[in-house]
Amino acid sequence: MTKIYLIRHGEAEGNLYRRSQGQYDANITRLGREQIGALAERFRDVPLDALWSSDLCRTQSTAAAILKYHPELTLHTTPRLREIDVGVWEDRPWGDIAAAYPEQMAYFSHDPARWSVPGGEPYLAVAARMKETVLDLAAAYEGKTVAAVSHGLAIRALLCDIFGIPSEKIDSLPYGDNTSVTLLSVEDGAITVDFYNDASHLTAAGLSTFARQTWREQERAGTPVKKIYSHFEPLDPRAEGELYSRVYADTWRASHGSTQGFSPVVYLRTAQQHAAADPRCVMKLYQGDEMAGVIELDPERGRGDNAGWISLVYIEPEMRDRRLGVQLIGHAVSFFRRDGRTTLRLHVAAENERALGFYEHVGFRPVS
C-alpha cells in the first residue's frame, strides 16, 4: 500500500487579491509563508520517501518548505498536478468575472462540469488527470509514502471523483484551506481517503486563510450568504475630474492632516496623462454598485529600476475595514508584472500609521 499526502499550496496572491489564479503563476503571500512554516513543522517527523509538486511557483514554494526537515529528498515537479486552467479568466478579478460571465460563474462555483469558457480546461478532465497522476505516483513508489503539493480545485475534483460526488453536488464537499492536508491510501489501483482537508496546523497557529473570510463562518452556521463581488472600471480624469480631485484631496488630508499644499490642477493633469497612456492606470473599484476606491498607476516612473509606481491608493471612508485595499494592490501587481516589473513602490507619509500597517501587511517594506 502506498500513502500519498496531498497538500494544497499556501496562500498565494490570487487568494489575497481575490483574482482568478488557475495556471497563472502567482507568488506566495506573507501569510502563505507563515502557513508554509507551520506545514513544515507538521511534517517534521513524518517519514517521507518522495516529494512532488505542480510546476507552478506557489506549489513549489510550499513543497520546498518540507525539505527543511527532509533534506534527503529531492523536489520533483510535474504540470499534471497543476490547478485547472481557467482560460480567459486567468488573472482577472473575481468581481469582473462575475459581472461578465454570471451564468458561467454560477456553473464554476456549483456545477463545474457544465462550466465552459474559451481556453478553459474541463472540470472532468482535471479530475481524470489528478487521478491518473496519483495512481502513477503510487505505482512508482509502491509501498512507500509520498507528499504531493497541488491546488484547491484540482484536489477537490479528485476527492469528488473518489467519493462519487457528482458535479451538481460539489457544494457538499468544501475546499480545503491553504496548506490543508489530505491522506490517500492506494492499493491495487484503488484509492481510499484516510482523511481530507485537515488544516489543524493552521488552526493551532491562528494562520487559517478561511478564518479571515467571515462569509465562510456564515455558511458553516447555515446562514444564507449573498456574496457581493468587487469589480473594476476605468476612471476618466477628464470626464470625472471632480471625483478624482475629491478622492485625492481626501487622501492628502488623511496623510498630512489638512489640504495645505494640495494642488488639484497639478495632480489632475498628471492623472489625465496616466489615463491617456493606458486607461488601466486610473481605475475605480466597486463593491456591488457602490464605488469603494480608486488606484492610480504611473506607467513610466520606476521603469529604469524595473519597478512599478503607485501614485494613489484610496478607499472611501465607509468602505474601509472590508479588506478591499488588497484588491487595489492586486490590480497594480497584475498591471506591472505584465510589463516585466519585479517590484512595486509608493510614497506613504511617515506619520500615517494606519497606511503603513496596511502596506506592510500586503508585503511592502520601508526603504527610505
Side-chain angles (χ1 to χ4, degrees):
M1 179 181 292
T2 304
K3 295 287 187 179
I4 297 180
Y5 287 98
L6 196 55
I7 304 163
R8 188 186 178 193
H9 60 78
E11 183 189 72
E13 291 169 331
N15 306 125
L16 178 64
Y17 301 145
R18 302 175 196 174
R19 303 177 74 92
S20 176
Q21 56 172 18
Q23 296 189 9
Y24 174 77
D25 209 5
N27 292 322
I28 291 290
T29 66
R30 188 175 76 168
L31 174 61
R33 291 192 293 273
E34 294 176 354
Q35 293 171 339
I36 289 169
L39 179 72
E41 293 298 326
R42 174 175 182 154
F43 278 88
R44 176 199 285 260
D45 299 318
V46 176
L48 295 174
D49 298 297
L51 178 62
W52 284 79
S53 84
S54 89
D55 58 348
L56 298 179
C57 177
R58 57 193 186 271
T59 43
Q60 290 195 61
S61 297
T62 302
I66 293 177
L67 297 174
K68 178 179 180 180
Y69 299 117
H70 295 277
E72 74 283 359
L73 299 179
T74 298
L75 174 57
H76 306 280
T77 65
T78 173
R80 298 172 69 194
L81 287 169
R82 280 188 178 190
E83 182 60 288
I84 187 172
D85 186 337
V86 294
V88 295
W89 286 11
E90 293 285 357
D91 191 37
R92 292 186 64 179
W94 283 113
D96 289 9
I97 292 170
Y101 301 86
E103 183 179 51
Q104 291 301 324
M105 182 73 172
Y107 288 153
F108 187 81
S109 299
H110 306 293
D111 190 359
R114 300 178 67 184
W115 170 79
S116 177
V117 298
E121 179 183 16
Y123 164 79
L124 295 179
V126 177
R129 69 167 162 83
M130 286 292 292
K131 187 172 185 177
E132 291 172 0
T133 303
V134 164
L135 291 174
D136 287 349
L137 287 174
Y141 299 97
E142 186 175 356
K144 297 182 178 181
T145 302
V146 180
V149 184
S150 187
H151 304 260
L153 182 58
I155 294 172
R156 194 184 190 198
L158 172 62
L159 288 174
C160 284
D161 182 276
I162 296 171
F163 289 137
I165 298 173
S167 172
E168 66 272 17
K169 299 291 186 180
I170 194 171
D171 289 343
S172 66
L173 194 151
Y175 276 99
D177 207 338
N178 292 115
T179 71
S180 60
V181 181
T182 292
L183 179 58
L184 307 176
S185 294
V186 186
E187 187 171 23
D188 297 329
I191 306 173
T192 56
V193 180
D194 294 8
F195 61 80
Y196 65 95
N197 293 349
D198 180 75
S200 54
H201 57 288
L202 298 183
T203 305
L207 297 174
S208 168
T209 300
F210 288 178
R212 291 162 166 77
Q213 299 170 339
T214 55
W215 59 268
R216 289 187 185 274
E217 290 299 324
Q218 292 175 292
E219 282 191 338
R220 280 193 285 268
T223 304
V225 178
K226 181 181 180 181
K227 295 180 186 177
I228 302 176
Y229 291 102
S230 302
H231 67 278
F232 286 90
E233 293 181 9
L235 188 159
D236 182 354
R238 294 189 181 278
E240 301 175 276
E242 184 176 342
L243 169 63
Y244 175 85
S245 296
R246 175 185 68 79
V247 164
Y248 212 117
D250 285 352
T251 304
W252 187 282
R253 189 180 299 108
S255 298
H256 304 288
S258 73
T259 55
Q260 184 177 356
F262 173 62
S263 177
V265 174
V266 172
Y267 290 105
L268 180 58
R269 185 184 304 121
T270 302
Q272 291 169 350
Q273 293 170 353
H274 294 163
D278 191 318
R280 295 173 299 160
C281 285
V282 190
M283 299 289 284
K284 297 176 289 187
L285 177 69
Y286 280 84
Q287 177 78 337
D289 296 328
E290 297 182 70
M291 195 192 84
V294 172
I295 186 164
E296 179 184 353
L297 311 176
D298 187 331
E300 294 303 323
R301 186 172 184 176
R303 184 182 292 277
D305 296 326
N306 210 26
W309 189 269
I310 301 176
S311 300
L312 172 68
V313 174
Y314 175 78
I315 294 291
E316 295 277 21
E318 65 274 16
M319 292 289 183
R320 292 169 190 170
D321 298 318
R322 299 189 188 184
R323 296 177 179 158
L324 297 172
V326 292
Q327 297 182 60
L328 297 177
I329 301 302
H331 172 74
V333 169
S334 176
F335 179 90
F336 285 118
R337 179 174 283 151
R338 294 180 188 185
D339 195 40
R341 317 287 179 97
T342 57
T343 59
L344 291 179
R345 293 180 183 169
L346 47 76
H347 281 155
V348 186
E351 62 273 16
N352 194 342
E353 295 183 1
R354 181 189 180 106
L356 288 170
F358 166 73
Y359 290 121
E360 290 183 9
H361 170 71
V362 297
F364 287 83
R365 59 182 176 85
V367 296
S368 174

